[in-house]
Amino acid sequence: MPKISKEKAEFKIVDAFNGLEIVDADYQEQTFSKHVHEGYTIGVIDKGAQRFYRSGNTHIADEDSMILVNADDVHTGESATLGGWRYRAMYPHPSHFESITHDLYDGKLHAPYFSNAVIKDPQLSEQLRLLFAQIDSHASKLLIETILYSIMMNMTLRHSSTRDIPCDLSGSKQRLLLVKEYLDAYPQEDVSLVTLSTMAGLSQFHFIRQFKKQFHMAPHSYQIQVRLKKAKALLMLGIKPVEVAIDCGFHDQSHFNRHFKRSMGTSPSKFQKQAVLYKMI
């Protein structure tokens, strides 16, 4: 009988920041020879441990630790335990990080260098896992890009060789109101973070921070609330929940149901029956 391989590697390109490659891998006997990527490798170990060469030394990343490989760094990879290792990783391009440093360092474009190949940062690990979970659940582009932007910003501030503190920004209330009005008018649109920050005349970093300060929620959270507001109106007109989900920009019925129940405390179908019955009475 031929030996059945237990190796797993699923790659996909996410529609965020002009394309982001991610991988979900579970390796038992896989060995990577020396190679490079044009993008950074940022991963989190879910189980087991990985041994790899990078920057002249051999490193071991165990469970819940993060792997950092700079763009064009020569590196390898193999299991450091008998059971192999499982991890999820993303491969942002240097240009993705340049947008971060442009926001942080007075308009200077700089792709950061991460000197540590393995880090223990529970908050970043959880953020990275949250990103993958939202990708798996087909979250909106705005939410995925917001989480991704936060991860890269925090990594740059905490773990790169440059640690300047960004200056504050004020006087943008009117431009933020224009963005809010746009989200109100087009709740179903899968708008990007870049589009909204450009509309506000702010960098992406400052846009997220200023929007949350002004409206007490992140842009993607506000977008969800606007979508739910439209959904309630459509449900009250008697439109089927499955059609409402699509019309309001939700990926699918379960995604719509989850957000609706979190906001309203009931399902869309129950809300519709009760609301329509109330109107009839």
Side-chain angles (χ1 to χ4, degrees):
M1 293 287 292
K3 185 177 180 180
I4 299 176
S5 175
K6 296 181 180 180
E7 310 293 282
K8 167 194 171 184
E10 297 180 356
F11 291 87
K12 65 177 67 173
I13 304 298
V14 180
D15 182 19
F17 290 142
N18 298 317
L20 174 71
E21 183 181 349
I22 65 170
V23 64
D24 182 353
D26 192 346
Y27 292 123
Q28 302 293 319
E29 301 174 355
Q30 174 70 32
T31 298
F32 292 98
S33 59
K34 289 184 177 180
H35 63 287
V36 298
H37 300 289
E38 64 175 347
Y40 293 80
T41 301
I42 302 172
V44 59
I45 303 293
D46 288 330
K47 73 167 187 175
Q50 179 187 14
R51 180 185 298 108
F52 64 102
Y53 167 90
R54 199 216 89 173
S55 303
N57 293 295
T58 298
H59 311 272
I60 293 181
D62 58 6
E63 191 170 325
D64 294 327
S65 61
M66 291 183 65
I67 298 171
L68 302 181
V69 179
N70 297 291
D72 295 325
D73 267 354
V74 176
H75 60 287
T76 63
E78 63 181 1
S79 177
T81 60
L82 291 177
W85 82 104
R86 178 184 174 91
Y87 73 101
R88 299 197 70 172
M90 64 176 184
Y91 302 92
H93 193 271
S95 62
H96 294 145
F97 273 103
E98 286 176 355
S99 67
I100 303 293
T101 58
H102 179 274
D103 293 347
L104 294 176
Y105 309 128
D106 297 326
K108 297 178 182 179
L109 295 178
H110 169 69
Y113 181 82
F114 301 104
S115 56
N116 293 322
V118 179
I119 62 172
K120 287 283 190 179
D121 190 325
Q123 183 182 18
L124 269 177
S125 295
E126 287 307 306
Q127 275 193 306
L128 192 57
R129 287 187 169 114
L130 174 63
L131 174 69
F132 295 137
Q134 294 300 328
I135 290 172
D136 289 344
S137 63
H138 305 283
S140 70
K141 181 187 297 184
L142 180 57
L143 174 55
I144 291 172
E145 290 185 344
T146 300
I147 297 172
L148 176 59
Y149 195 89
S150 178
I151 292 171
M152 294 191 296
M153 181 192 68
N154 287 329
M155 287 194 63
T156 301
L157 287 172
R158 299 180 193 176
H159 302 289
S160 72
S161 57
T162 306
R163 308 174 75 90
D164 293 342
I165 304 300
C167 59
D168 197 7
L169 185 69
S170 61
S172 57
K173 181 176 180 180
Q174 188 60 41
R175 288 171 292 179
L176 290 171
L177 285 172
L178 291 177
V179 173
K180 180 177 177 293
E181 290 173 0
Y182 181 87
L183 291 173
D184 289 338
Y186 304 101
Q188 74 284 353
E189 184 174 339
D190 191 16
V191 64
S192 71
L193 178 61
V194 172
T195 298
L196 295 182
S197 60
T198 301
M199 190 182 305
L202 301 171
S203 69
Q204 296 168 46
F205 168 72
H206 286 121
F207 166 67
I208 295 171
R209 187 170 64 172
Q210 291 295 313
F211 190 98
K212 190 171 184 178
K213 180 180 179 181
Q214 183 66 43
F215 303 114
H216 308 291
M217 63 176 62
H220 67 84
S221 298
Y222 183 78
Q223 183 187 56
I224 291 295
Q225 295 307 307
V226 175
R227 288 177 172 180
L228 291 174
K229 181 179 178 180
K230 178 180 179 181
K232 287 172 61 180
L234 294 178
L235 289 169
M236 292 179 71
L237 291 175
I239 299 175
K240 295 180 180 179
V242 64
E243 297 177 8
V244 172
I246 297 173
D247 290 345
C248 293
F250 292 99
H251 176 73
D252 54 29
Q253 184 69 44
S254 62
H255 186 223
F256 173 44
N257 289 349
R258 184 169 65 253
H259 281 292
F260 195 93
K261 189 168 185 178
R262 286 177 180 174
S263 179
M264 297 296 297
T266 188
S267 69
S269 58
K270 288 182 179 179
F271 170 83
Q272 184 176 57
K273 291 177 181 178
Q274 294 168 353
V276 172
L277 178 61
Y278 181 80
K279 285 178 65 179
M280 290 174 62
I281 294 174

